Amino acid sequence: MNIQLKKSPRNAQASDDDASLSSGQDLLARLRADIVKHTFAPETKLKFSDLTERYGLGIGTLREALSQLVSEGFVTLEAGKGFRVAPVSRRDLAEVTEHYVSFEKRALSQAIATGDDEWETALVASFHSLSIIEDLSWAERMRRHGEWVERHRRFHEALVAACDDRWLLRLRSLMFYQLERYRFLSKMNREKSPTRKGPEHRAIMEAAVARDVQKATALLERHIRDTSESILGTLA
């Protein structure tokens, strides 16, 4: 005999709330990624009619996600004008760089101090995954750029994964994505470049595994600032 249990109104409501929360979080991540990757260019007006069609979600969910992105600095809101992608500027890039350098160095210092064997193993593995693409020819690297972006993010997250300061990790993550938006803009405006970041990533990883805080954070800061300097050349 099959017995079917009906959801109580309370459980059904909880299930609906969970689904709504999941949809909202997914939308937030997709919107942020599309802004970072310049699917929506700086200062583009974000129209609800276009967004509902693209993401398949209602205006209420979209408004919540956009409001969150306003608080993160990816979107602006003007009375009577609606939501727009945040502009970019040399001054904003300089501010983002300073904050990211500070948060990333502090998080790495804490990770080195508290990281265990599992942290080291995960860090080395993430570097190896990234280096597979970074060691390829220019043409092949560009063909697999989407993979590189994801593996690059995972490498930087692996560096600081042992940091147990949750607020610090949230702030460095926000600055990472802000700088990533500028890096994508730079890539779109630059000619082919033979520059390889692989040796820099290896040096940072090796210093971190060796528990050399001073060397690891110095290399990390240089890595970030070199990236920002290369981006500045593409901004008016």
Side-chain angles (χ1 to χ4, degrees):
M1 179 175 64
N2 293 326
I3 300 176
Q4 293 183 341
L5 298 177
K6 293 184 179 180
K7 290 183 179 179
S8 70
R10 181 174 181 179
N11 288 340
Q13 180 64 49
S15 179
D16 290 343
D17 288 345
D18 289 344
S20 177
L21 179 61
S22 177
S23 295
Q25 291 175 335
D26 290 344
L27 173 62
L28 178 62
R30 291 176 63 192
L31 260 172
R32 187 190 295 113
D34 281 342
I35 291 172
V36 167
K37 293 186 296 184
H38 293 268
T39 300
F40 301 118
E43 301 187 65
T44 297
K45 184 173 178 60
L46 298 169
K47 300 178 181 179
F48 284 115
S49 57
D50 296 336
L51 298 179
T52 53
E53 181 177 352
R54 179 178 177 85
Y55 299 108
L57 291 170
I59 291 178
T61 305
L62 283 163
R63 188 180 297 277
E64 289 181 11
L66 290 169
S67 297
Q68 175 63 34
L69 291 174
V70 169
S71 70
E72 294 181 7
F74 292 103
V75 172
T76 61
L77 174 61
E78 293 183 53
K81 295 185 179 181
F83 295 96
R84 288 183 181 274
V85 178
V88 295
S89 68
R90 295 172 67 90
R91 177 179 176 178
D92 185 66
L93 172 59
E95 292 176 355
V96 166
T97 300
E98 291 305 317
H99 288 305
Y100 182 48
V101 165
S102 175
F103 295 144
E104 192 82 329
K105 287 176 65 178
R106 285 167 55 193
L108 178 57
S109 296
Q110 290 190 30
I112 291 173
T114 60
D116 56 14
D117 292 348
E118 290 184 7
W119 169 71
E120 285 190 19
T121 301
L123 175 55
V124 173
S126 69
F127 167 74
H128 177 68
S129 177
L130 178 61
S131 67
I132 290 173
I133 295 179
E134 290 187 324
D135 290 342
L136 297 172
S137 66
W138 170 265
E140 191 64 13
R141 277 185 285 156
M142 289 301 96
R143 188 182 72 79
R144 298 179 63 178
H145 184 70
E147 291 178 75
W148 180 90
V149 168
E150 180 64 18
R151 295 184 191 196
H152 179 254
R153 178 186 63 79
R154 289 178 182 173
F155 171 73
H156 277 274
E157 288 181 348
L159 276 171
V160 301
C163 172
D164 57 6
D165 187 328
R166 291 179 299 169
W167 275 107
L168 178 55
L169 290 178
R170 289 174 186 172
L171 292 170
R172 64 75 48 196
S173 180
L174 173 59
M175 291 299 105
F176 175 87
Y177 282 112
Q178 286 287 356
L179 187 59
E180 190 78 339
R181 184 162 83 110
Y182 279 96
R183 193 187 62 73
F184 265 94
L185 181 64
S186 173
K187 177 182 178 295
M188 293 166 62
N189 293 336
R190 272 189 311 197
E191 295 297 326
K192 173 178 169 180
S193 169
T195 302
R196 291 178 182 268
K197 292 293 186 179
E200 294 179 18
H201 291 138
R202 177 181 291 278
I204 295 167
M205 179 273 293
E206 290 177 345
V209 170
R211 310 295 172 135
D212 189 333
V213 173
Q214 184 173 358
K215 182 177 181 180
T217 55
L219 288 169
L220 183 61
E221 178 171 0
R222 186 188 310 162
H223 175 70
I224 296 169
R225 292 194 184 280
D226 284 350
T227 297
S228 292
E229 283 297 318
S230 68
I231 295 169
L232 277 172
T234 68
L235 296 175

